[in-house]
Amino acid sequence: MVQAVTAPVVTNVRTGRSQAVMIAAQGARGTAATSFSTRLWTDAAEVEPGRIKNIDGGRSMTTFGGDFIDSRYSMPDLKEGVVTAKATPESLDFLLRSNWGTPAAGVYALAPVVQTWYTLAYVEHTDAGPAQNMIRIQDAFFHRLELTVADMGAALVRASYLGRASLVGVNAGLPAMTHGSPAPADTNVFTMREAEFRRVSPATNLRFSSCVVTLDQRAIRGNSMTGGPKVDKGGKTSAVFEVRCEANDENWALLTNARASTKETLRLTISAPSPAKVLTLDLKNLDFDFKPVGHDGRRVKEFSAVGEATVGADGSFVSISIA
């Protein structure tokens, strides 16, 4: 006898065409934002949707066979994820403010405590009717930023965050979405073709093929006994610069100085066209470590080096501005 198969009910299969990651500053820690007007121009996003349950089920001894229905319980709701977005003046400003605070005349200064807590809203449009599904992460702190400039394309920022809770529900306070709308509020992208990589002393513009600047705050993550998940700054911020460049006389000077333990201060500037904005990153007192040099067949290998900024006589190790 052949059993009849009932066709599944399928409504609004998600295609990814109408999803958005919205961001809003909170009025205070512990108070989730409910109104959003800024959309990050994301290439990828990871958002944890629900509460974590204990895996072992408690190993209840009161029932035969399986575990008792109440033997599973919720764990503290600490959330973490990564958002990869086009680097624009607005998106970088949002992401930097967590750690660096509000800029003064376009210049950011490292703050001792988290300056701005955010609510992230992952929202997807459903074609049938006005309802839109949403996941909110409140008390989000962007503790690690990786800015990548490569391949003549848009600069990308990979932002790692920690948050305190997921709030799942229907769209509330979001702009109406229709097939990908609203567009990102800021599409003024920093691009590779508008980038310069310079030695500060002597002033030399160096030719490079790619670079990655990583600003890592070393966040505290864990759980307290009474306050639930805890998220805070966890130590000194590190600023690491990775660069790939051709083997020419100017770039050989970087290797020579590294061998002599001579510190370098390098400046990365990237322009966004309209309105004109310039991101300037100075990484000071870099001590580079070079990967092996040589050739691969008839092709000379690119230089590949990693350096970490250190505090110098002026008391600073990195300078950031958008102006």
Side-chain angles (χ1 to χ4, degrees):
M1 179 179 178
V2 178
Q3 180 176 338
V5 176
T6 302
V9 177
V10 180
T11 306
N12 291 328
V13 176
R14 310 302 188 242
T15 63
R17 62 177 179 155
S18 298
Q19 299 173 345
V21 177
M22 313 291 287
I23 185 171
Q26 296 180 181
R29 185 176 186 175
T31 304
T34 57
S35 180
F36 300 82
S37 60
T38 299
R39 174 184 172 189
L40 295 177
W41 196 357
T42 53
D43 279 21
E46 298 175 6
V47 180
E48 292 189 38
R51 298 187 66 85
I52 301 172
K53 300 287 187 177
N54 64 310
I55 296 175
D56 62 8
R59 297 291 184 260
S60 172
M61 297 299 293
T62 59
T63 60
F64 293 102
D67 286 326
F68 189 60
I69 189 171
D70 291 331
S71 62
R72 297 205 66 191
Y73 51 88
S74 296
M75 305 293 286
D77 211 12
L78 177 65
K79 299 302 177 185
E80 59 183 310
V82 178
V83 174
T84 302
K86 301 286 194 302
T88 69
E90 185 181 51
S91 64
L92 281 179
D93 179 63
F94 265 103
L95 299 174
L96 284 168
R97 285 182 186 230
S98 263
N99 199 23
W100 299 80
T102 303
V107 178
Y108 296 84
L110 186 61
V113 297
V114 178
Q115 292 296 292
T116 304
W117 299 94
Y118 290 104
T119 298
L120 296 178
Y122 172 79
V123 59
E124 62 171 23
H125 171 68
T126 56
D127 288 340
Q132 299 177 61
N133 298 318
M134 179 178 66
I135 300 171
R136 282 188 297 167
I137 305 292
Q138 75 176 64
D139 295 344
F141 165 43
F142 292 97
H143 60 92
R144 179 184 172 92
L145 302 181
E146 297 176 26
L147 179 67
T148 300
V149 185
D151 300 328
M152 296 302 292
L156 296 176
V157 58
R158 178 180 169 87
S160 302
Y161 68 85
L162 292 170
R164 284 173 54 89
S166 291
L167 309 173
V168 181
V170 177
N171 172 5
L174 294 173
M177 289 184 62
T178 306
H179 304 299
S181 176
D186 184 4
T187 57
N188 189 23
V189 180
F190 293 110
T191 60
M192 172 69 167
R193 64 186 177 88
E194 301 290 345
E196 288 187 351
F197 169 47
R198 290 181 175 271
R199 296 175 68 196
V200 172
S201 180
T204 307
N205 189 14
L206 304 174
R207 194 157 68 179
F208 71 104
S209 58
S210 68
C211 70
V212 179
V213 177
T214 302
L215 304 173
D216 189 355
Q217 175 51 56
R218 297 176 174 87
I220 294 174
R221 65 188 77 191
N223 303 298
S224 64
M225 295 300 293
T226 57
K230 60 182 179 182
V231 175
D232 267 305
K233 290 193 174 193
K236 294 181 177 179
T237 301
S238 65
V240 176
F241 191 85
E242 302 176 53
V243 63
R244 296 183 65 88
C245 55
E246 63 189 21
N248 56 37
D249 288 349
E250 290 74 22
N251 292 334
W252 266 98
L254 296 177
L255 190 152
T256 301
N257 286 339
R259 287 285 304 161
S261 295
T262 301
K263 302 295 191 296
E264 295 272 5
T265 295
L266 299 178
R267 172 172 293 172
L268 177 67
T269 62
I270 319 174
S271 298
S274 181
K277 294 283 186 178
V278 178
L279 167 66
T280 303
L281 278 162
D282 285 355
L283 282 86
K284 304 178 181 182
N285 307 302
L286 288 162
D287 195 357
F288 274 111
D289 179 24
F290 276 78
K291 294 182 180 179
V293 300
H295 73 97
D296 184 4
R298 297 182 180 182
R299 185 178 182 86
V300 176
K301 287 185 177 181
E302 283 190 311
F303 282 165
S304 180
V306 179
E308 183 170 357
T310 54
V311 176
D314 64 351
S316 66
F317 67 104
V318 63
S319 174
I320 306 173
S321 66
I322 301 176

